[in-house]
Amino acid sequence: MKIVIRESSEVLSALIAERFINLIKSKPNCVLGLATGSSPIKTYQGIIKAYQEGEISFSNVHSYNLDEYLNFPRESDSYAYFMKENLFSHVDMNLANAHFPNPSDPEAYDALIKQDPVDLQILGIGADGHIGFNEPGTSFDSKTHITPLTEQTIKDNARFFPSIDMVPTKAVTMGLSTILKAKSIVLIATGAGKVEAINALLTKEDETCPASILLRHNDVTLYLDKEAAKDILNKDIPGVTFDR
Ligand code: GLP
């Protein structure tokens, strides 16, 4: 595992955007694993800028989003809508190539991804260590599935809804084993609210911290700001290469 630590989310997002841009340039028909939440938004803005400047085209890119809410109150609360707003409608993405898990047949997503493996997956992380919507206690062997959301996640995501009782209580998410199939994975975490999740991720592989499954993968980079990396600023961790 590699950990990149920088002062601001702007710098981290630019570094991650560069990875996506380079991938799309070198492999125009690449497969992207995409995430929602506030963490990837600036990365998407960097990618959009490269498209607008004529550096890249999405016309042959495929994408697989991590997750989608069930029973979202308004169309604009869906993650499919989020992706249109924050990326797809600003680039020449063919929406037929943009995939989301289907709650009526979750495991079909694993079969699809097996045939069309993700080259680069971007992840955020929940305060409780969730990735996608794989909440603490989810099996490391999990495939795409429907899951209830924890109280913590519902509270954390309430900022995107008019009131907490409008936050969906269930979602369909890529499983942990599904996420781990991506060839390369980048995770961005910023702010003091992510310190515990990052510390737990780095402690040991344990299903109580879903993101700790990333310790098993041979091409993962964590992009952390100084707040999220507060406890590891001067630490050496076996098996981890630092860029700080
Ligand atoms: C949601 C998403 C996750 C995301 C997390 C963190 O729960 N399903 O994929 O990583 O929020 O969100 P944020 O980046 O806004 O902190």
Side-chain angles (χ1 to χ4, degrees), residues 36-39 66-67 79 124-125 130 132-133 153 157 159 194:
T36 55
S38 53
S39 302
L66 282 171
D67 45 18
Y79 280 168
I125 186 169
H130 74 244
F133 270 130
T153 298
N157 288 354
R159 68 204 144 111
K194 303 291 169 76

Side-chain angles (χ1 to χ4, degrees), residues 1 3 198-199 201-203 215 222 224 231-242 244:
M1 178 171 285
I3 300 184
I198 294 300
N199 291 348
L201 185 175
L202 293 169
T203 303
L215 293 169
L222 309 185
L224 310 177
D231 293 344
I232 52 166
L233 286 177
N234 303 305
K235 225 177 171 181
D236 284 328
I237 303 173
V240 176
T241 317
F242 281 94
R244 53 190 167 197

